[in-house]
Amino acid sequence: NAGVMQNPRHLVRRRGQEARLRCSPMKGHSHVYWYRQLPEEGLKFMVYLQKENIIDESGMPKERFSAEFPKEGPSILRIQQVVRGDSAAYFCASSPQGSNTEAFFGQGTRLTVV
Amino acid sequence: TQLLEQSPQFLSIQEGENLTVYCNSSSVFSSLQWYRQEPGEGPVLLVTVVTGGEVKKLKRLTFQFGDARKDSSLHITAAQPGDTGLYLCAGSPQEYGNKLVFGAGTILRVKS
């Protein structure tokens, strides 16, 4: 039973390009969380999604950032017109149900904007 | 302000010493999770505590959930260099619905 799969592991983008980060949740999990982490800091909540629905996007910047979790396929975190400040590790977690259950993390995507 | 306050932020100790990490909140949680993260990797779930006052042991690690379900602690006995990492507590406060929030973490370094 595969765990949470994120790809790519490392992504380099030039300023102004788009970054697409993918997350395939664990089998049977229908809830996905995205978090952002800077070096030696904790995890900052970005967005919480169920299949085809955004439940809570209060941690996501209003501009340039979007997320989706379609009925089929992985969840996508999309960052348009990237800037240097977007450089960070982005982690995805999944859980089988939303409330008070454990979340299991992928290995993250390290985005570097040059 | 952090919904979950972790302390200390950083801890550097010698192999064999004991330590305790704290996770506090003014909110009530139905459960709290503890994760450990190594550099370059994603967080790995260590334990979930559910019942107020609950104590769970995982080898040399002891986790406790406060009676009021607002705080938790992680105690490590005879720390080893392999315990080095970032320890994170997390949970879904009752007023936040299903949003899973994290503390800022405690960076633990165990020197041999």
Side-chain angles (χ1 to χ4, degrees):
Chain A
N1 192 12
V4 178
M5 303 299 292
Q6 287 188 251
N7 68 82
R9 286 292 306 272
H10 300 275
L11 182 61
V12 179
R13 284 287 178 265
R14 295 186 185 281
R15 281 178 293 170
Q17 290 185 319
E18 178 180 286
R20 281 191 178 228
L21 287 61
R22 294 174 186 76
C23 169
S24 295
M26 286 180 71
K27 189 176 179 181
H29 287 193
S30 57
H31 297 253
V32 164
Y33 301 84
W34 284 94
Y35 294 87
R36 183 172 183 265
Q37 187 178 40
L38 293 172
E40 299 212 334
E41 290 191 7
L43 293 158
K44 294 283 191 277
F45 170 81
M46 296 183 73
V47 63
Y48 164 42
L49 310 105
Q50 292 180 27
K51 285 279 187 182
E52 300 184 276
N53 285 308
I54 295 175
I55 305 303
D56 185 337
E57 56 182 347
S58 58
M60 205 148 70
K62 295 284 188 287
E63 296 179 353
R64 302 188 299 109
F65 284 72
S66 62
E68 62 176 10
F69 188 15
K71 187 177 180 181
E72 301 291 336
S75 175
I76 306 285
L77 178 66
R78 183 180 175 211
I79 311 173
Q80 294 178 289
Q81 299 174 335
V82 296
V83 301
R84 287 230 172 98
D86 296 333
S87 296
Y90 292 83
F91 288 97
C92 163
S94 73
S95 67
Q97 59 188 42
S99 178
N100 305 318
T101 56
E102 300 137 344
F104 296 87
F105 281 81
Q107 292 189 297
T109 293
R110 275 140 195 89
L111 172 66
T112 302
V113 179
V114 297
Chain B
T1 55
Q2 288 274 350
L3 199 63
L4 283 166
E5 296 282 348
Q6 281 191 245
S7 62
Q9 287 184 296
F10 182 78
L11 196 53
S12 181
I13 61 171
Q14 288 295 132
E15 181 177 2
E17 291 183 5
N18 302 332
L19 66 116
T20 302
V21 175
Y22 300 93
C23 177
N24 296 300
S25 178
S26 57
S27 297
V28 176
F29 290 78
S30 299
S31 66
L32 272 178
Q33 288 85 45
W34 284 92
Y35 292 81
R36 178 167 165 262
Q37 184 181 23
E38 295 189 39
E41 300 295 328
V44 174
L45 179 67
L46 296 175
V47 79
T48 297
V49 286
V50 179
T51 307
E54 180 178 6
V55 176
K56 279 192 175 178
K57 289 184 186 290
L58 187 66
K59 296 184 182 178
R60 293 177 292 101
L61 279 60
T62 302
F63 304 85
Q64 185 159 11
F65 200 12
D67 291 340
R69 293 186 287 126
K70 293 183 178 182
D71 55 87
S72 181
S73 64
L74 158 60
H75 182 79
I76 301 179
T77 304
Q80 305 292 314
D83 295 328
T84 293
L86 175 66
Y87 288 83
L88 297 155
C89 66
S92 300
Q94 290 182 344
E95 69 269 28
Y96 273 54
N98 299 329
K99 180 169 142 182
L100 184 64
V101 297
F102 280 79
T106 294
I107 296 173
L108 171 65
R109 293 212 170 98
V110 182
K111 296 175 283 188
S112 56

